[in-house]
Amino acid sequence: MKLTFAGTGSAFCMAAENFQSNMVLETTPSGNEQPHRLLIDCGSDARHSLRNLGYMPNDFDAVYISHLHSDHIGGLEWMALANYFIFDGHRAKLLAVKELLDPLWEHSLRGGLETSDHGNSQLSSYFDVLPLVAKTGFDWQGLHFDIIPVPHIVTNESTMFSYALFGRGEKKSFFLTTDAIFNPDAHMSLYRKADMIFQDCELGPRHSGVHAHYDELVTLPAEVKAKMWLYHYQAYDKPDAKADGFCGFIEPGQSFDLG
Ligand SMILES: [Zn+2]
Ligand SMILES: [Zn+2]
């Protein structure tokens, strides 16, 4: 199992050499079968970041959606229409917790996808939709993923959750935070049991409060930082993460062998 970061940028990162933080999880079955690919989030610049890795939209068997910010779902209209019109109606599975599916369609995708040449459409016209339940997680290609609801934006009126993943490869387990506030008490048991941690990390002078900031992450215990890779960062000069005890900042296109 291999996890490749198509980009490692934040939502607004405009670095010419980076893209939004979407990932490709690839498993290759025994024998000479084609690899199976799960795209983890499909942001508004996915068509560029995936092309950079050599992928077309029909190279994916499934897409997992963590939450509804456009750096995580803004590429779904492109994927739906490109697969429908250009790639012979290729259908990817769309995996997301069931709470996200109605708002994903009603508030994000319906305007561009409802009316098409085959009449009125819905999400299931383009994708094989698999509503997930956070408590039970899901299986993909024989691997189990726990779904971890993590608060991402907390206000007096409401909380927006992102749905992080805890996955287990044959050899290594990993915790992928997606977009989350700094919440060490809630995350510590996952930090401790994961072999690898992929952590969203804000950089720069502004502490937005909706992502863990580097200044906060650096306070984590040394044994947690020693297995933590940082991504979803802005285009500021990066601190020396290795000197601070982290594995480092993930570079765009970097892959991890998860066994
Ligand atoms: Zn994001
Ligand atoms: Zn977000």
PDB file of all heavy atoms in Angstrom, residues 207-235:
ATOM      1  N   HIS A 207      -2.786  32.545  13.271  1.00  0.00           N
ATOM      2  CA  HIS A 207      -3.287  31.301  13.854  1.00  0.00           C
ATOM      3  C   HIS A 207      -4.791  31.276  13.622  1.00  0.00           C
ATOM      4  O   HIS A 207      -5.538  31.952  14.325  1.00  0.00           O
ATOM      5  CB  HIS A 207      -2.974  31.237  15.354  1.00  0.00           C
ATOM      6  CG  HIS A 207      -1.527  31.025  15.668  1.00  0.00           C
ATOM      7  ND1 HIS A 207      -1.095  30.128  16.627  1.00  0.00           N
ATOM      8  CD2 HIS A 207      -0.406  31.571  15.146  1.00  0.00           C
ATOM      9  CE1 HIS A 207       0.234  30.147  16.685  1.00  0.00           C
ATOM     10  NE2 HIS A 207       0.667  31.017  15.801  1.00  0.00           N
ATOM     11  N   SER A 208      -5.219  30.517  12.627  1.00  0.00           N
ATOM     12  CA  SER A 208      -6.633  30.573  12.237  1.00  0.00           C
ATOM     13  C   SER A 208      -7.531  29.897  13.267  1.00  0.00           C
ATOM     14  O   SER A 208      -8.714  30.182  13.348  1.00  0.00           O
ATOM     15  CB  SER A 208      -6.819  29.879  10.885  1.00  0.00           C
ATOM     16  OG  SER A 208      -6.609  28.485  11.029  1.00  0.00           O
ATOM     17  N   GLY A 209      -6.975  28.955  14.016  1.00  0.00           N
ATOM     18  CA  GLY A 209      -7.793  28.185  14.947  1.00  0.00           C
ATOM     19  C   GLY A 209      -8.547  27.041  14.303  1.00  0.00           C
ATOM     20  O   GLY A 209      -9.230  26.287  15.000  1.00  0.00           O
ATOM     21  N   VAL A 210      -8.432  26.869  12.992  1.00  0.00           N
ATOM     22  CA  VAL A 210      -9.149  25.758  12.350  1.00  0.00           C
ATOM     23  C   VAL A 210      -8.198  24.630  11.922  1.00  0.00           C
ATOM     24  O   VAL A 210      -8.647  23.570  11.487  1.00  0.00           O
ATOM     25  CB  VAL A 210     -10.003  26.239  11.149  1.00  0.00           C
ATOM     26  CG1 VAL A 210     -10.918  27.376  11.581  1.00  0.00           C
ATOM     27  CG2 VAL A 210      -9.160  26.642   9.962  1.00  0.00           C
ATOM     28  N   HIS A 211      -6.910  24.871  12.031  1.00  0.00           N
ATOM     29  CA  HIS A 211      -5.891  23.829  11.816  1.00  0.00           C
ATOM     30  C   HIS A 211      -4.926  23.876  13.000  1.00  0.00           C
ATOM     31  O   HIS A 211      -4.777  24.906  13.649  1.00  0.00           O
ATOM     32  CB  HIS A 211      -5.069  24.101  10.546  1.00  0.00           C
ATOM     33  CG  HIS A 211      -5.839  23.983   9.275  1.00  0.00           C
ATOM     34  ND1 HIS A 211      -6.168  22.774   8.713  1.00  0.00           N
ATOM     35  CD2 HIS A 211      -6.359  24.930   8.462  1.00  0.00           C
ATOM     36  CE1 HIS A 211      -6.851  22.979   7.599  1.00  0.00           C
ATOM     37  NE2 HIS A 211      -6.985  24.277   7.420  1.00  0.00           N
ATOM     38  N   ALA A 212      -4.261  22.761  13.218  1.00  0.00           N
ATOM     39  CA  ALA A 212      -3.142  22.789  14.158  1.00  0.00           C
ATOM     40  C   ALA A 212      -2.049  23.670  13.560  1.00  0.00           C
ATOM     41  O   ALA A 212      -1.702  23.540  12.384  1.00  0.00           O
ATOM     42  CB  ALA A 212      -2.626  21.375  14.384  1.00  0.00           C
ATOM     43  N   HIS A 213      -1.524  24.576  14.368  1.00  0.00           N
ATOM     44  CA  HIS A 213      -0.415  25.427  13.909  1.00  0.00           C
ATOM     45  C   HIS A 213       0.910  24.785  14.319  1.00  0.00           C
ATOM     46  O   HIS A 213       0.991  24.089  15.343  1.00  0.00           O
ATOM     47  CB  HIS A 213      -0.547  26.823  14.521  1.00  0.00           C
ATOM     48  CG  HIS A 213       0.368  27.831  13.887  1.00  0.00           C
ATOM     49  ND1 HIS A 213       1.708  27.925  14.186  1.00  0.00           N
ATOM     50  CD2 HIS A 213       0.128  28.773  12.938  1.00  0.00           C
ATOM     51  CE1 HIS A 213       2.261  28.884  13.461  1.00  0.00           C
ATOM     52  NE2 HIS A 213       1.321  29.422  12.693  1.00  0.00           N
ATOM     53  N   TYR A 214       1.938  25.041  13.530  1.00  0.00           N
ATOM     54  CA  TYR A 214       3.265  24.497  13.851  1.00  0.00           C
ATOM     55  C   TYR A 214       3.679  24.820  15.285  1.00  0.00           C
ATOM     56  O   TYR A 214       4.240  23.971  15.990  1.00  0.00           O
ATOM     57  CB  TYR A 214       4.291  25.052  12.861  1.00  0.00           C
ATOM     58  CG  TYR A 214       5.655  24.415  12.991  1.00  0.00           C
ATOM     59  CD1 TYR A 214       5.951  23.247  12.302  1.00  0.00           C
ATOM     60  CD2 TYR A 214       6.642  24.973  13.810  1.00  0.00           C
ATOM     61  CE1 TYR A 214       7.203  22.655  12.424  1.00  0.00           C
ATOM     62  CE2 TYR A 214       7.886  24.382  13.936  1.00  0.00           C
ATOM     63  CZ  TYR A 214       8.165  23.222  13.245  1.00  0.00           C
ATOM     64  OH  TYR A 214       9.395  22.629  13.365  1.00  0.00           O
ATOM     65  N   ASP A 215       3.357  26.062  15.703  1.00  0.00           N
ATOM     66  CA  ASP A 215       3.740  26.480  17.063  1.00  0.00           C
ATOM     67  C   ASP A 215       3.086  25.607  18.138  1.00  0.00           C
ATOM     68  O   ASP A 215       3.629  25.469  19.239  1.00  0.00           O
ATOM     69  CB  ASP A 215       3.345  27.942  17.316  1.00  0.00           C
ATOM     70  CG  ASP A 215       4.089  28.906  16.418  1.00  0.00           C
ATOM     71  OD1 ASP A 215       5.124  28.509  15.844  1.00  0.00           O
ATOM     72  OD2 ASP A 215       3.626  30.061  16.290  1.00  0.00           O
ATOM     73  N   GLU A 216       1.916  25.062  17.817  1.00  0.00           N
ATOM     74  CA  GLU A 216       1.235  24.167  18.759  1.00  0.00           C
ATOM     75  C   GLU A 216       1.798  22.743  18.646  1.00  0.00           C
ATOM     76  O   GLU A 216       2.061  22.070  19.655  1.00  0.00           O
ATOM     77  CB  GLU A 216      -0.269  24.134  18.465  1.00  0.00           C
ATOM     78  CG  GLU A 216      -0.958  25.486  18.653  1.00  0.00           C
ATOM     79  CD  GLU A 216      -2.379  25.493  18.102  1.00  0.00           C
ATOM     80  OE1 GLU A 216      -2.615  25.019  16.981  1.00  0.00           O
ATOM     81  OE2 GLU A 216      -3.252  26.013  18.820  1.00  0.00           O
ATOM     82  N   LEU A 217       1.974  22.301  17.413  1.00  0.00           N
ATOM     83  CA  LEU A 217       2.433  20.919  17.206  1.00  0.00           C
ATOM     84  C   LEU A 217       3.807  20.682  17.824  1.00  0.00           C
ATOM     85  O   LEU A 217       4.110  19.571  18.275  1.00  0.00           O
ATOM     86  CB  LEU A 217       2.456  20.594  15.713  1.00  0.00           C
ATOM     87  CG  LEU A 217       1.065  20.546  15.057  1.00  0.00           C
ATOM     88  CD1 LEU A 217       1.196  20.527  13.530  1.00  0.00           C
ATOM     89  CD2 LEU A 217       0.287  19.318  15.529  1.00  0.00           C
ATOM     90  N   VAL A 218       4.621  21.733  17.830  1.00  0.00           N
ATOM     91  CA  VAL A 218       5.983  21.566  18.335  1.00  0.00           C
ATOM     92  C   VAL A 218       5.985  21.247  19.835  1.00  0.00           C
ATOM     93  O   VAL A 218       6.978  20.731  20.372  1.00  0.00           O
ATOM     94  CB  VAL A 218       6.814  22.839  17.986  1.00  0.00           C
ATOM     95  CG1 VAL A 218       6.569  23.955  18.998  1.00  0.00           C
ATOM     96  CG2 VAL A 218       8.286  22.517  17.825  1.00  0.00           C
ATOM     97  N   THR A 219       4.851  21.495  20.517  1.00  0.00           N
ATOM     98  CA  THR A 219       4.763  21.202  21.955  1.00  0.00           C
ATOM     99  C   THR A 219       4.394  19.742  22.237  1.00  0.00           C
ATOM    100  O   THR A 219       4.340  19.337  23.409  1.00  0.00           O
ATOM    101  CB  THR A 219       3.695  22.095  22.627  1.00  0.00           C
ATOM    102  OG1 THR A 219       2.393  21.733  22.132  1.00  0.00           O
ATOM    103  CG2 THR A 219       3.933  23.573  22.361  1.00  0.00           C
ATOM    104  N   LEU A 220       4.119  18.947  21.201  1.00  0.00           N
ATOM    105  CA  LEU A 220       3.724  17.550  21.414  1.00  0.00           C
ATOM    106  C   LEU A 220       4.907  16.737  21.949  1.00  0.00           C
ATOM    107  O   LEU A 220       6.069  17.112  21.754  1.00  0.00           O
ATOM    108  CB  LEU A 220       3.231  16.929  20.098  1.00  0.00           C
ATOM    109  CG  LEU A 220       1.870  17.438  19.618  1.00  0.00           C
ATOM    110  CD1 LEU A 220       1.600  16.964  18.188  1.00  0.00           C
ATOM    111  CD2 LEU A 220       0.750  16.966  20.551  1.00  0.00           C
ATOM    112  N   PRO A 221       4.608  15.602  22.605  1.00  0.00           N
ATOM    113  CA  PRO A 221       5.706  14.764  23.120  1.00  0.00           C
ATOM    114  C   PRO A 221       6.655  14.311  22.008  1.00  0.00           C
ATOM    115  O   PRO A 221       6.227  14.078  20.867  1.00  0.00           O
ATOM    116  CB  PRO A 221       4.970  13.560  23.723  1.00  0.00           C
ATOM    117  CG  PRO A 221       3.580  14.019  23.976  1.00  0.00           C
ATOM    118  CD  PRO A 221       3.285  15.064  22.946  1.00  0.00           C
ATOM    119  N   ALA A 222       7.909  14.175  22.373  1.00  0.00           N
ATOM    120  CA  ALA A 222       8.935  13.835  21.384  1.00  0.00           C
ATOM    121  C   ALA A 222       8.608  12.546  20.639  1.00  0.00           C
ATOM    122  O   ALA A 222       8.819  12.443  19.425  1.00  0.00           O
ATOM    123  CB  ALA A 222      10.291  13.716  22.081  1.00  0.00           C
ATOM    124  N   GLU A 223       8.048  11.547  21.366  1.00  0.00           N
ATOM    125  CA  GLU A 223       7.803  10.263  20.690  1.00  0.00           C
ATOM    126  C   GLU A 223       6.657  10.357  19.685  1.00  0.00           C
ATOM    127  O   GLU A 223       6.566   9.536  18.763  1.00  0.00           O
ATOM    128  CB  GLU A 223       7.541   9.155  21.729  1.00  0.00           C
ATOM    129  CG  GLU A 223       6.286   9.319  22.565  1.00  0.00           C
ATOM    130  CD  GLU A 223       6.520  10.161  23.820  1.00  0.00           C
ATOM    131  OE1 GLU A 223       7.496  10.937  23.867  1.00  0.00           O
ATOM    132  OE2 GLU A 223       5.704  10.048  24.762  1.00  0.00           O
ATOM    133  N   VAL A 224       5.781  11.336  19.838  1.00  0.00           N
ATOM    134  CA  VAL A 224       4.725  11.565  18.847  1.00  0.00           C
ATOM    135  C   VAL A 224       5.311  12.292  17.641  1.00  0.00           C
ATOM    136  O   VAL A 224       5.097  11.898  16.487  1.00  0.00           O
ATOM    137  CB  VAL A 224       3.558  12.362  19.471  1.00  0.00           C
ATOM    138  CG1 VAL A 224       2.571  12.811  18.398  1.00  0.00           C
ATOM    139  CG2 VAL A 224       2.860  11.525  20.538  1.00  0.00           C
ATOM    140  N   LYS A 225       6.067  13.349  17.900  1.00  0.00           N
ATOM    141  CA  LYS A 225       6.657  14.109  16.788  1.00  0.00           C
ATOM    142  C   LYS A 225       7.595  13.242  15.949  1.00  0.00           C
ATOM    143  O   LYS A 225       7.731  13.447  14.747  1.00  0.00           O
ATOM    144  CB  LYS A 225       7.432  15.319  17.332  1.00  0.00           C
ATOM    145  CG  LYS A 225       6.543  16.396  17.903  1.00  0.00           C
ATOM    146  CD  LYS A 225       7.306  17.699  18.163  1.00  0.00           C
ATOM    147  CE  LYS A 225       8.217  17.574  19.368  1.00  0.00           C
ATOM    148  NZ  LYS A 225       8.909  18.851  19.648  1.00  0.00           N
ATOM    149  N   ALA A 226       8.199  12.236  16.591  1.00  0.00           N
ATOM    150  CA  ALA A 226       9.183  11.404  15.893  1.00  0.00           C
ATOM    151  C   ALA A 226       8.554  10.542  14.804  1.00  0.00           C
ATOM    152  O   ALA A 226       9.262   9.948  13.985  1.00  0.00           O
ATOM    153  CB  ALA A 226       9.914  10.514  16.896  1.00  0.00           C
ATOM    154  N   LYS A 227       7.219  10.438  14.785  1.00  0.00           N
ATOM    155  CA  LYS A 227       6.554   9.675  13.717  1.00  0.00           C
ATOM    156  C   LYS A 227       5.543  10.544  12.970  1.00  0.00           C
ATOM    157  O   LYS A 227       4.657  10.024  12.309  1.00  0.00           O
ATOM    158  CB  LYS A 227       5.892   8.407  14.276  1.00  0.00           C
ATOM    159  CG  LYS A 227       4.980   8.644  15.455  1.00  0.00           C
ATOM    160  CD  LYS A 227       4.518   7.311  16.057  1.00  0.00           C
ATOM    161  CE  LYS A 227       3.608   7.545  17.259  1.00  0.00           C
ATOM    162  NZ  LYS A 227       3.095   6.293  17.834  1.00  0.00           N
ATOM    163  N   MET A 228       5.711  11.851  13.055  1.00  0.00           N
ATOM    164  CA  MET A 228       4.743  12.789  12.482  1.00  0.00           C
ATOM    165  C   MET A 228       5.313  13.519  11.265  1.00  0.00           C
ATOM    166  O   MET A 228       6.359  14.160  11.348  1.00  0.00           O
ATOM    167  CB  MET A 228       4.324  13.801  13.565  1.00  0.00           C
ATOM    168  CG  MET A 228       3.291  14.815  13.108  1.00  0.00           C
ATOM    169  SD  MET A 228       2.754  15.885  14.486  1.00  0.00           S
ATOM    170  CE  MET A 228       1.478  14.878  15.253  1.00  0.00           C
ATOM    171  N   TRP A 229       4.582  13.388  10.152  1.00  0.00           N
ATOM    172  CA  TRP A 229       4.892  14.141   8.935  1.00  0.00           C
ATOM    173  C   TRP A 229       3.867  15.257   8.792  1.00  0.00           C
ATOM    174  O   TRP A 229       2.678  15.059   9.066  1.00  0.00           O
ATOM    175  CB  TRP A 229       4.820  13.225   7.716  1.00  0.00           C
ATOM    176  CG  TRP A 229       5.962  12.263   7.589  1.00  0.00           C
ATOM    177  CD1 TRP A 229       6.026  10.994   8.071  1.00  0.00           C
ATOM    178  CD2 TRP A 229       7.195  12.494   6.910  1.00  0.00           C
ATOM    179  NE1 TRP A 229       7.222  10.415   7.748  1.00  0.00           N
ATOM    180  CE2 TRP A 229       7.957  11.310   7.027  1.00  0.00           C
ATOM    181  CE3 TRP A 229       7.734  13.575   6.209  1.00  0.00           C
ATOM    182  CZ2 TRP A 229       9.225  11.189   6.460  1.00  0.00           C
ATOM    183  CZ3 TRP A 229       8.995  13.450   5.652  1.00  0.00           C
ATOM    184  CH2 TRP A 229       9.727  12.266   5.780  1.00  0.00           C
ATOM    185  N   LEU A 230       4.317  16.412   8.312  1.00  0.00           N
ATOM    186  CA  LEU A 230       3.472  17.609   8.266  1.00  0.00           C
ATOM    187  C   LEU A 230       3.067  17.943   6.827  1.00  0.00           C
ATOM    188  O   LEU A 230       3.879  17.877   5.901  1.00  0.00           O
ATOM    189  CB  LEU A 230       4.236  18.789   8.876  1.00  0.00           C
ATOM    190  CG  LEU A 230       4.777  18.532  10.296  1.00  0.00           C
ATOM    191  CD1 LEU A 230       5.687  19.684  10.727  1.00  0.00           C
ATOM    192  CD2 LEU A 230       3.633  18.337  11.287  1.00  0.00           C
ATOM    193  N   TYR A 231       1.800  18.312   6.661  1.00  0.00           N
ATOM    194  CA  TYR A 231       1.302  18.705   5.329  1.00  0.00           C
ATOM    195  C   TYR A 231       0.194  19.740   5.507  1.00  0.00           C
ATOM    196  O   TYR A 231      -0.097  20.158   6.627  1.00  0.00           O
ATOM    197  CB  TYR A 231       0.824  17.468   4.554  1.00  0.00           C
ATOM    198  CG  TYR A 231      -0.514  16.916   4.991  1.00  0.00           C
ATOM    199  CD1 TYR A 231      -1.680  17.198   4.269  1.00  0.00           C
ATOM    200  CD2 TYR A 231      -0.636  16.145   6.138  1.00  0.00           C
ATOM    201  CE1 TYR A 231      -2.916  16.704   4.666  1.00  0.00           C
ATOM    202  CE2 TYR A 231      -1.872  15.664   6.546  1.00  0.00           C
ATOM    203  CZ  TYR A 231      -3.003  15.940   5.809  1.00  0.00           C
ATOM    204  OH  TYR A 231      -4.211  15.467   6.218  1.00  0.00           O
ATOM    205  N   HIS A 232      -0.420  20.174   4.374  1.00  0.00           N
ATOM    206  CA  HIS A 232      -1.491  21.185   4.393  1.00  0.00           C
ATOM    207  C   HIS A 232      -0.947  22.493   4.964  1.00  0.00           C
ATOM    208  O   HIS A 232      -1.516  23.097   5.861  1.00  0.00           O
ATOM    209  CB  HIS A 232      -2.696  20.676   5.210  1.00  0.00           C
ATOM    210  CG  HIS A 232      -4.020  21.305   4.807  1.00  0.00           C
ATOM    211  ND1 HIS A 232      -4.288  22.631   4.992  1.00  0.00           N
ATOM    212  CD2 HIS A 232      -5.138  20.788   4.236  1.00  0.00           C
ATOM    213  CE1 HIS A 232      -5.520  22.907   4.566  1.00  0.00           C
ATOM    214  NE2 HIS A 232      -6.046  21.794   4.085  1.00  0.00           N
ATOM    215  N   TYR A 233       0.182  22.922   4.389  1.00  0.00           N
ATOM    216  CA  TYR A 233       0.847  24.128   4.892  1.00  0.00           C
ATOM    217  C   TYR A 233       0.842  25.240   3.837  1.00  0.00           C
ATOM    218  O   TYR A 233       0.713  24.982   2.643  1.00  0.00           O
ATOM    219  CB  TYR A 233       2.276  23.802   5.341  1.00  0.00           C
ATOM    220  CG  TYR A 233       3.109  23.012   4.342  1.00  0.00           C
ATOM    221  CD1 TYR A 233       3.759  23.647   3.291  1.00  0.00           C
ATOM    222  CD2 TYR A 233       3.237  21.620   4.459  1.00  0.00           C
ATOM    223  CE1 TYR A 233       4.520  22.914   2.382  1.00  0.00           C
ATOM    224  CE2 TYR A 233       3.993  20.890   3.560  1.00  0.00           C
ATOM    225  CZ  TYR A 233       4.636  21.541   2.526  1.00  0.00           C
ATOM    226  OH  TYR A 233       5.374  20.824   1.625  1.00  0.00           O
ATOM    227  N   GLN A 234       0.995  26.462   4.321  1.00  0.00           N
ATOM    228  CA  GLN A 234       1.033  27.631   3.463  1.00  0.00           C
ATOM    229  C   GLN A 234       2.435  27.818   2.874  1.00  0.00           C
ATOM    230  O   GLN A 234       3.392  27.190   3.314  1.00  0.00           O
ATOM    231  CB  GLN A 234       0.645  28.893   4.257  1.00  0.00           C
ATOM    232  CG  GLN A 234      -0.819  28.950   4.642  1.00  0.00           C
ATOM    233  CD  GLN A 234      -1.100  28.271   5.980  1.00  0.00           C
ATOM    234  OE1 GLN A 234      -0.350  27.408   6.426  1.00  0.00           O
ATOM    235  NE2 GLN A 234      -2.199  28.663   6.612  1.00  0.00           N
ATOM    236  N   ALA A 235       2.498  28.760   1.920  1.00  0.00           N
ATOM    237  CA  ALA A 235       3.759  28.963   1.207  1.00  0.00           C
ATOM    238  C   ALA A 235       4.695  29.923   1.949  1.00  0.00           C
ATOM    239  O   ALA A 235       5.280  30.813   1.344  1.00  0.00           O
ATOM    240  CB  ALA A 235       3.461  29.486  -0.194  1.00  0.00           C
TER     241      ALA A 235
END
